[in-house]
Amino acid sequence: VAATPWGGLGLTICYDVRFAYLHRALAQAGAVMLSVPAAFTVPTGQAHWHVLLRARAIETGCFVFAPAQTGEHAEGRKTYGHSLIIAPWGEILAEGGVEPGVFLAEIDTSKVEAARKLADEARRRGQEAGRKALEDARQKGQFQFRTAPFAVGKSGTGRLGVRIEVPSTAMADQLDLPKDQGLVIADV
C-alpha cells in the first residue's frame, strides 16, 4: 500500500482483479483506493471488466481506479478499454470508453468509511438471519449439524469443513443431495 496525501493506495495489475482476497488484504492494510491498470481483451472485458471491478470496490469499500488499454495491437490483439473510476459502494463515477482520452471524477474519501460501515451492518444482519434460519431448521428436525473436522480437497490435509447432514433419503432427494454425504456449507 502506497501512502498518498489522500490515503493508502493499493497497487495491483490486470489479472489480479480476479482475486478478491488480495484486494481485501490491501484494504485491511490501509488502502482506501485501489489501482488496477489492465489490458483485458475485448471478449474478456465485455464479460468481466465492469462486474469484477465493481465487486472489488464493494467488497473492500475502496475507490477503484482502473486505467485500461484500448485499441488494436500487434498481431491483431484487441483490448477492451473502458477505463473506470468506481466509488466504494460500486457506482461508476467515470468511464473512458474505447477511445484514448482523459477523464476525471471527484473523490470524497469520507465515502470509504461510510460504505464500510454500511457493508459491516449488512453483513452482521445477514449472519444473524442465516443463524436464525439454520437454528429454526435444526429445531424442526430438518437438518442435523456435525462439527467434527473432516478433510477437504484433493490432498485431504490442511483444511477443515462443516457439514449439514440430511437425516432422510426423502429430504436428500428433495434437496438434490447425495444420500451418503452431507452438504458442505463452509471451509474453515
Side-chain angles (χ1 to χ4, degrees):
V1 177
T4 76
W6 307 278
L9 175 64
L11 303 170
T12 66
I13 60 168
C14 204
Y15 195 77
D16 292 343
V17 75
R18 298 184 180 284
F19 303 105
Y21 283 99
L22 168 62
H23 295 83
R24 195 167 304 143
L26 290 167
Q28 290 169 344
V32 296
M33 301 168 288
L34 300 170
S35 176
V36 190
F40 270 44
T41 62
V42 171
T44 305
Q46 289 172 338
H48 299 156
W49 181 245
H50 289 79
V51 70
L52 287 173
L53 289 164
R54 292 182 72 204
R56 298 301 83 90
I58 294 165
E59 292 164 349
T60 62
C62 289
F63 283 92
V64 173
F65 307 127
Q69 191 177 61
T70 189
E72 189 167 338
H73 311 282
E75 299 176 16
R77 183 177 60 89
K78 295 178 182 175
T79 50
Y80 183 62
H82 294 273
S83 296
L84 295 170
I85 299 174
I86 304 171
W89 202 242
E91 307 94 343
I92 295 174
L93 300 177
E95 182 169 353
V98 296
E99 295 298 322
V102 175
F103 59 91
L104 304 172
E106 190 168 315
I107 304 301
D108 177 357
T109 55
S110 70
K111 289 185 177 185
V112 170
E113 186 176 333
R116 289 177 179 176
K117 186 175 180 180
L118 284 170
D120 287 344
E121 178 61 22
R123 187 176 303 112
R124 185 190 62 74
R125 284 194 315 262
Q127 289 170 343
E128 288 174 5
R131 277 193 289 274
K132 183 179 180 337
L134 289 172
E135 181 58 26
D136 289 349
R138 188 188 63 75
Q139 287 178 358
K140 292 176 184 175
Q142 294 173 331
F143 297 105
Q144 298 172 359
F145 295 90
R146 184 174 69 186
T147 58
F150 63 93
V152 177
K154 289 181 181 179
S155 67
T157 61
R159 292 173 51 201
L160 302 178
V162 176
R163 288 193 190 273
I164 297 177
E165 297 289 333
V166 179
S168 73
T169 301
M171 187 172 286
D173 286 341
Q174 183 180 3
L175 296 173
D176 195 28
L177 298 173
K179 292 163 190 55
D180 61 341
Q181 299 177 10
L183 171 66
V184 177
I185 61 168
D187 290 338
V188 294

